Tab-separated table of all heavy atoms in Angstrom:
chain	number	residue	atom	x	y	z
A	386	VAL	N	-29.544	46.912	-27.461
A	386	VAL	CA	-29.645	46.809	-25.985
A	386	VAL	C	-31.098	46.854	-25.612
A	386	VAL	O	-31.903	47.634	-26.100
A	386	VAL	CB	-28.966	48.078	-25.324
A	386	VAL	CG1	-28.973	47.971	-23.782
A	386	VAL	CG2	-27.393	48.134	-25.695
A	387	GLN	N	-31.449	46.059	-24.619
A	387	GLN	CA	-32.902	45.989	-24.162
A	387	GLN	C	-33.092	47.171	-23.265
A	387	GLN	O	-32.461	47.361	-22.291
A	387	GLN	CB	-33.007	44.679	-23.398
A	387	GLN	CG	-34.538	44.266	-23.180
A	387	GLN	CD	-34.567	43.002	-22.397
A	387	GLN	OE1	-33.770	42.114	-22.574
A	387	GLN	NE2	-35.484	42.936	-21.421
A	388	LEU	N	-34.071	48.020	-23.657
A	388	LEU	CA	-34.367	49.199	-22.882
A	388	LEU	C	-35.751	49.175	-22.300
A	388	LEU	O	-36.699	48.812	-22.991
A	388	LEU	CB	-34.291	50.503	-23.866
A	388	LEU	CG	-34.777	51.859	-23.220
A	388	LEU	CD1	-33.839	52.281	-22.085
A	388	LEU	CD2	-34.804	52.908	-24.255
A	389	GLU	N	-35.739	49.530	-20.985
A	389	GLU	CA	-37.120	49.651	-20.383
A	389	GLU	C	-37.264	50.964	-19.690
A	389	GLU	O	-36.270	51.503	-19.142
A	389	GLU	CB	-37.093	48.649	-19.232
A	389	GLU	CG	-38.281	48.673	-18.221
A	389	GLU	CD	-38.084	47.886	-16.879
A	389	GLU	OE1	-36.872	47.506	-16.742
A	389	GLU	OE2	-38.973	47.713	-16.134
A	390	HIS	N	-38.400	51.688	-19.810
A	390	HIS	CA	-38.627	52.904	-19.096
A	390	HIS	C	-39.407	52.624	-17.870
A	390	HIS	O	-40.321	51.863	-17.892
A	390	HIS	CB	-39.376	53.896	-19.904
A	390	HIS	CG	-38.761	54.277	-21.321
A	390	HIS	ND1	-37.713	55.178	-21.357
A	390	HIS	CD2	-38.932	53.714	-22.549
A	390	HIS	CE1	-37.289	55.176	-22.586
A	390	HIS	NE2	-38.047	54.345	-23.312
A	391	ILE	N	-38.981	53.195	-16.687
A	391	ILE	CA	-39.582	52.938	-15.498
A	391	ILE	C	-39.763	54.164	-14.661
A	391	ILE	O	-38.886	55.056	-14.673
A	391	ILE	CB	-38.791	51.816	-14.563
A	391	ILE	CG1	-39.598	51.419	-13.421
A	391	ILE	CG2	-37.338	52.294	-14.352
A	391	ILE	CD1	-39.016	50.130	-12.787
A	392	LEU	N	-40.907	54.381	-14.075
A	392	LEU	CA	-41.125	55.586	-13.198
A	392	LEU	C	-40.315	55.367	-11.981
A	392	LEU	O	-40.113	54.240	-11.429
A	392	LEU	CB	-42.638	55.735	-12.855
A	392	LEU	CG	-43.473	55.985	-14.171
A	392	LEU	CD1	-44.973	56.063	-13.783
A	392	LEU	CD2	-43.102	57.276	-14.822
A	393	ALA	N	-39.684	56.527	-11.602
A	393	ALA	CA	-38.735	56.433	-10.470
A	393	ALA	C	-39.208	55.857	-9.198
A	393	ALA	O	-38.516	55.142	-8.380
A	393	ALA	CB	-38.091	57.798	-10.239
A	394	ASP	N	-40.533	56.160	-8.873
A	394	ASP	CA	-41.080	55.611	-7.661
A	394	ASP	C	-41.266	54.105	-7.701
A	394	ASP	O	-40.932	53.377	-6.797
A	394	ASP	CB	-42.429	56.361	-7.292
A	394	ASP	CG	-43.465	56.376	-8.425
A	394	ASP	OD1	-43.034	56.020	-9.611
A	394	ASP	OD2	-44.572	56.765	-8.170
A	395	ASN	N	-41.651	53.612	-8.916
A	395	ASN	CA	-41.854	52.211	-9.131
A	395	ASN	C	-40.416	51.582	-8.991
A	395	ASN	O	-40.228	50.438	-8.435
A	395	ASN	CB	-42.446	51.928	-10.389
A	395	ASN	CG	-42.657	50.390	-10.682
A	395	ASN	OD1	-42.792	49.598	-9.856
A	395	ASN	ND2	-42.640	50.047	-11.920
A	396	CYS	N	-39.446	52.243	-9.545
A	396	CYS	CA	-38.081	51.736	-9.557
A	396	CYS	C	-37.559	51.553	-8.107
A	396	CYS	O	-36.994	50.480	-7.761
A	396	CYS	CB	-37.108	52.695	-10.186
A	396	CYS	SG	-35.447	52.124	-10.433
A	397	ALA	N	-37.878	52.529	-7.226
A	397	ALA	CA	-37.582	52.366	-5.787
A	397	ALA	C	-38.198	51.150	-5.125
A	397	ALA	O	-37.546	50.350	-4.451
A	397	ALA	CB	-37.972	53.653	-5.111
A	398	MET	N	-39.423	50.960	-5.555
A	398	MET	CA	-40.190	49.791	-5.039
A	398	MET	C	-39.611	48.494	-5.602
A	398	MET	O	-39.360	47.542	-4.822
A	398	MET	CB	-41.690	49.919	-5.377
A	398	MET	CG	-42.569	48.923	-4.790
A	398	MET	SD	-42.658	47.392	-5.771
A	398	MET	CE	-43.730	47.839	-7.062
A	399	GLN	N	-39.415	48.492	-6.857
A	399	GLN	CA	-38.824	47.288	-7.483
A	399	GLN	C	-37.393	46.902	-6.894
A	399	GLN	O	-37.088	45.720	-6.788
A	399	GLN	CB	-38.671	47.311	-8.975
A	399	GLN	CG	-40.050	47.555	-9.670
A	399	GLN	CD	-41.028	46.308	-9.520
A	399	GLN	OE1	-40.468	45.274	-9.276
A	399	GLN	NE2	-42.216	46.501	-9.792
A	400	LEU	N	-36.601	47.960	-6.566
A	400	LEU	CA	-35.367	47.700	-5.939
A	400	LEU	C	-35.375	46.954	-4.633
A	400	LEU	O	-34.474	46.120	-4.381
A	400	LEU	CB	-34.534	48.994	-5.718
A	400	LEU	CG	-33.712	49.547	-6.882
A	400	LEU	CD1	-33.240	50.970	-6.459
A	400	LEU	CD2	-32.637	48.639	-7.308
A	401	VAL	N	-36.360	47.103	-3.870
A	401	VAL	CA	-36.497	46.428	-2.557
A	401	VAL	C	-37.446	45.187	-2.779
A	401	VAL	O	-37.492	44.269	-1.888
A	401	VAL	CB	-36.980	47.261	-1.395
A	401	VAL	CG1	-35.862	48.230	-1.016
A	401	VAL	CG2	-38.292	48.018	-1.759
A	402	ARG	N	-38.192	45.044	-3.844
A	402	ARG	CA	-39.047	43.897	-4.038
A	402	ARG	C	-38.236	42.707	-4.752
A	402	ARG	O	-38.243	41.546	-4.280
A	402	ARG	CB	-40.278	44.246	-4.920
A	402	ARG	CG	-41.343	43.148	-5.031
A	402	ARG	CD	-42.388	43.417	-6.119
A	402	ARG	NE	-41.951	43.383	-7.437
A	402	ARG	CZ	-41.821	42.308	-8.133
A	402	ARG	NH1	-42.289	41.117	-7.579
A	402	ARG	NH2	-41.453	42.259	-9.461
A	403	ALA	N	-37.622	43.037	-5.865
A	403	ALA	CA	-36.955	42.042	-6.741
A	403	ALA	C	-35.813	42.741	-7.416
A	403	ALA	O	-35.793	42.913	-8.609
A	403	ALA	CB	-37.916	41.448	-7.737
A	404	PRO	N	-34.703	43.076	-6.614
A	404	PRO	CA	-33.614	43.914	-7.175
A	404	PRO	C	-32.894	43.154	-8.309
A	404	PRO	O	-32.306	43.931	-9.261
A	404	PRO	CB	-32.680	44.108	-5.976
A	404	PRO	CG	-33.039	43.094	-4.949
A	404	PRO	CD	-34.517	42.732	-5.179
A	405	LYS	N	-32.847	41.842	-8.363
A	405	LYS	CA	-32.095	41.199	-9.424
A	405	LYS	C	-32.687	41.356	-10.878
A	405	LYS	O	-32.005	41.014	-11.752
A	405	LYS	CB	-31.832	39.740	-9.059
A	405	LYS	CG	-30.827	39.604	-7.956
A	405	LYS	CD	-30.430	38.158	-7.756
A	405	LYS	CE	-31.227	37.675	-6.617
A	405	LYS	NZ	-30.790	36.280	-6.281
A	406	GLN	N	-33.910	41.878	-10.948
A	406	GLN	CA	-34.425	42.167	-12.318
A	406	GLN	C	-33.611	43.167	-13.021
A	406	GLN	O	-33.715	43.326	-14.250
A	406	GLN	CB	-35.889	42.605	-12.182
A	406	GLN	CG	-36.061	44.058	-11.648
A	406	GLN	CD	-37.481	44.398	-11.390
A	406	GLN	OE1	-38.151	44.827	-12.365
A	406	GLN	NE2	-37.993	44.351	-10.157
A	407	PHE	N	-32.819	44.062	-12.313
A	407	PHE	CA	-32.095	45.179	-12.987
A	407	PHE	C	-30.667	44.772	-13.348
A	407	PHE	O	-29.995	44.002	-12.702
A	407	PHE	CB	-32.049	46.356	-12.043
A	407	PHE	CG	-33.396	47.020	-11.744
A	407	PHE	CD1	-33.936	46.934	-10.434
A	407	PHE	CD2	-34.088	47.636	-12.688
A	407	PHE	CE1	-35.186	47.445	-10.146
A	407	PHE	CE2	-35.351	48.155	-12.516
A	407	PHE	CZ	-35.924	48.080	-11.224
A	408	ASP	N	-30.216	45.389	-14.440
A	408	ASP	CA	-28.792	45.234	-14.832
A	408	ASP	C	-28.171	46.667	-14.723
A	408	ASP	O	-27.564	46.986	-13.610
A	408	ASP	CB	-28.694	44.762	-16.273
A	408	ASP	CG	-27.303	44.613	-16.745
A	408	ASP	OD1	-26.384	44.546	-15.916
A	408	ASP	OD2	-27.067	44.649	-18.002
A	409	VAL	N	-28.453	47.548	-15.683
A	409	VAL	CA	-28.015	48.986	-15.543
A	409	VAL	C	-29.177	49.817	-15.357
A	409	VAL	O	-30.228	49.718	-16.056
A	409	VAL	CB	-27.263	49.451	-16.819
A	409	VAL	CG1	-26.915	50.923	-16.763
A	409	VAL	CG2	-25.962	48.549	-17.013
A	410	ILE	N	-29.113	50.761	-14.413
A	410	ILE	CA	-30.245	51.729	-14.186
A	410	ILE	C	-29.685	53.175	-14.581
A	410	ILE	O	-28.603	53.464	-14.023
A	410	ILE	CB	-30.731	51.757	-12.787
A	410	ILE	CG1	-31.414	50.425	-12.451
A	410	ILE	CG2	-31.681	52.909	-12.602
A	410	ILE	CD1	-31.914	50.324	-10.971
A	411	VAL	N	-30.245	53.842	-15.418
A	411	VAL	CA	-29.770	55.200	-15.755
A	411	VAL	C	-30.880	56.248	-15.275
A	411	VAL	O	-32.045	55.962	-15.485
A	411	VAL	CB	-29.328	55.400	-17.266
A	411	VAL	CG1	-30.537	55.283	-18.169
A	411	VAL	CG2	-28.757	56.753	-17.413
A	412	THR	N	-30.322	57.228	-14.491
A	412	THR	CA	-31.427	58.185	-14.034
A	412	THR	C	-30.744	59.540	-13.723
A	412	THR	O	-29.604	59.680	-13.845
A	412	THR	CB	-32.092	57.539	-12.773
A	412	THR	OG1	-33.164	58.335	-12.353
A	412	THR	CG2	-31.065	57.499	-11.563
A	413	ASP	N	-31.627	60.466	-13.325
A	413	ASP	CA	-31.161	61.888	-13.173
A	413	ASP	C	-30.396	62.028	-11.810
A	413	ASP	O	-30.179	61.037	-11.067
A	413	ASP	CB	-32.272	62.889	-13.324
A	413	ASP	CG	-33.179	62.949	-12.157
A	413	ASP	OD1	-32.831	62.504	-11.054
A	413	ASP	OD2	-34.315	63.456	-12.346
A	414	ASN	N	-29.921	63.187	-11.602
A	414	ASN	CA	-29.031	63.470	-10.414
A	414	ASN	C	-29.816	63.175	-9.064
A	414	ASN	O	-29.303	62.437	-8.265
A	414	ASN	CB	-28.706	64.989	-10.490
A	414	ASN	CG	-27.334	65.244	-9.767
A	414	ASN	OD1	-26.877	64.480	-8.981
A	414	ASN	ND2	-26.673	66.416	-10.129
A	415	LEU	N	-31.046	63.635	-8.917
A	415	LEU	CA	-31.736	63.496	-7.604
A	415	LEU	C	-32.188	62.059	-7.447
A	415	LEU	O	-32.016	61.548	-6.383
A	415	LEU	CB	-32.883	64.576	-7.634
A	415	LEU	CG	-33.724	64.549	-6.334
A	415	LEU	CD1	-32.792	64.890	-5.114
A	415	LEU	CD2	-34.890	65.450	-6.388
A	416	PHE	N	-32.884	61.524	-8.470
A	416	PHE	CA	-33.376	60.162	-8.285
A	416	PHE	C	-32.164	59.212	-8.126
A	416	PHE	O	-32.232	58.220	-7.413
A	416	PHE	CB	-34.145	59.702	-9.595
A	416	PHE	CG	-35.407	60.581	-9.711
A	416	PHE	CD1	-35.893	60.873	-11.072
A	416	PHE	CD2	-36.148	60.904	-8.641
A	416	PHE	CE1	-37.087	61.604	-11.164
A	416	PHE	CE2	-37.341	61.710	-8.771
A	416	PHE	CZ	-37.811	61.975	-10.012
A	417	GLY	N	-31.060	59.457	-8.770
A	417	GLY	CA	-29.821	58.658	-8.644
A	417	GLY	C	-29.206	58.643	-7.192
A	417	GLY	O	-28.796	57.728	-6.735
A	418	ASP	N	-29.343	59.878	-6.652
A	418	ASP	CA	-28.919	59.968	-5.274
A	418	ASP	C	-29.756	59.108	-4.331
A	418	ASP	O	-29.205	58.373	-3.549
A	418	ASP	CB	-29.037	61.448	-4.834
A	418	ASP	CG	-28.510	61.749	-3.411
A	418	ASP	OD1	-27.486	61.181	-2.979
A	418	ASP	OD2	-29.218	62.401	-2.604
Side-chain angles (χ1 to χ4, degrees):
V386 181
Q387 199 182 314
L388 172 66
E389 170 198 13
H390 299 282
I391 185 166
L392 297 175
D394 51 349
N395 182 28
C396 185
M398 186 277 280
Q399 296 296 340
L400 270 175
V401 291
R402 189 189 71 86
K405 283 187 265 183
Q406 70 183 282
F407 295 112
D408 179 22
V409 176
I410 296 173
V411 64
T412 191
D413 74 17
N414 206 339
L415 182 61
F416 295 144
D418 181 43

